[in-house]
Amino acid sequence: MPKTLLTAVSLAALSLASGLAASPAPGDGIAPSASTAVAPYLYNGWGSPPNPTTVTNATGVKYFTLAFVLSNGYCNPQWDGSRALTGGVDQQTVNTVRANGGDVVPSFGGWSGNKLESSCSSARELAAAYQRVITAFGLKAIDIDLEADAYDSPTVQQRTVDALKTVKASNPGLKVYVTIGTGQSGPDTSLINRAAASGLTVDAWTIMPFNFGGVGQNMGNLSTRAAEGLKNALKNAYGYTDDQAYRLMGISSMNGVTDQGETVTVADFRTMLAYAQQHHLARLTFWSANRDRPCTGGPADSCSGVSQSDWDYTRVFAAYTG
């Protein structure tokens, strides 16, 4: 996820950038699908969260990655580390998405806040924290978004790997996604190598190809280049073939202007879509549905910073069929 709310200065920069990308015709003439691989991030913490029904009706996307499950100071999972796990706005979002025929993928972690992975003192405790959320919502999939200090700690990495092994053993059929940052040539491989050495396999290793020095460059091409680096890392760590690696990896982009001033256009999303279709990626998502709207002077986290119609980015990825 992006690091924080953008400053007023950043918002002004976003406004200036609003003319950088032309908006395509809604849907690009492609009938949307309801692929479970496409689950844009939806965040109830800020950014005028859209009603998921509105997004579903406009795009056909029925699945959402619901961010973020954090620690309330120790090993107790709460939304943003402060909102009750059940009974609040996040519960309402889960209910709405499911009533529309879709489902949610709660995301643990993100860039900021107290991470369960760091706050829990052991793999056993961390697995129990994950399990509380899985049980509370009867989940079919989870996303572990390991970033910042949590990713940088070998101890936290191993704790997370061991906890996920327990969770997978206790919940047959549960899809486990792991989301990490990346450089332009691919991600740091420490977590991937650690997982492979420990016997942990996941349903999608997903990279976030943004905030990585791409200002002024073609972010679609940079994203697929980074994805090739991920593919090679998975081959090296697990001994996969190219096809096996592609089918166990994903891309999680950021729509519009990023925290570092890169511009990810709708055309860049089409480049990523074509790559995903060619290689049958396990996941194709982005941060965030909150931002998939043009800026009209509102908070930067409720709009993309580029010229677009509502939900243009979501419509592109909605065409993904796996």
Side-chain angles (χ1 to χ4, degrees), residues 109-126:
W111 179 266
S112 59
N114 295 320
K115 316 298 195 307
L116 286 163
E117 293 78 13
S118 299
S119 298
C120 298
S121 64
S122 67
R124 181 183 60 82
E125 285 193 342
L126 179 56

Side-chain angles (χ1 to χ4, degrees), residues 107-251:
S107 182
F108 296 78
W111 179 266
S112 59
N114 295 320
K115 316 298 195 307
L116 286 163
E117 293 78 13
S118 299
S119 298
C120 298
S121 64
S122 67
R124 181 183 60 82
E125 285 193 342
L126 179 56
Y130 289 153
Q131 190 65 52
R132 282 190 59 187
V133 184
I134 293 166
T135 301
F137 295 107
L139 297 177
K140 297 177 181 177
I142 59 173
D143 171 45
I144 310 301
D145 184 347
L146 203 63
E147 301 185 51
D149 292 346
Y151 183 90
D152 294 338
S153 167
T155 299
V156 173
Q157 281 195 11
Q158 190 64 53
R159 181 184 300 150
T160 303
V161 166
D162 292 341
L164 289 177
K165 289 181 65 176
T166 297
V167 165
K168 281 173 62 71
S170 301
N171 300 273
L174 178 76
K175 288 186 179 297
V176 175
Y177 304 135
V178 177
T179 302
I180 58 177
T182 187
Q184 293 185 12
S185 297
D188 170 83
T189 61
S190 59
L191 181 62
I192 292 171
N193 292 340
R194 196 180 305 278
S198 300
L200 172 68
T201 58
V202 300
D203 294 274
W205 287 97
T206 306
I207 54 166
M208 296 177 284
F210 57 88
N211 290 343
F212 64 167
V215 174
Q217 300 182 64
N218 184 301
M219 290 292 285
N221 292 341
L222 287 185
S223 296
T224 58
R225 174 183 167 189
E228 283 295 294
L230 171 61
K231 181 260 294 183
N232 292 332
L234 295 179
K235 287 179 63 179
N236 292 337
Y238 287 97
Y240 294 150
T241 64
D242 281 5
D243 184 62
Q244 288 172 325
Y246 283 129
R247 292 174 184 268
L248 291 171
M249 60 183 256
I251 293 174

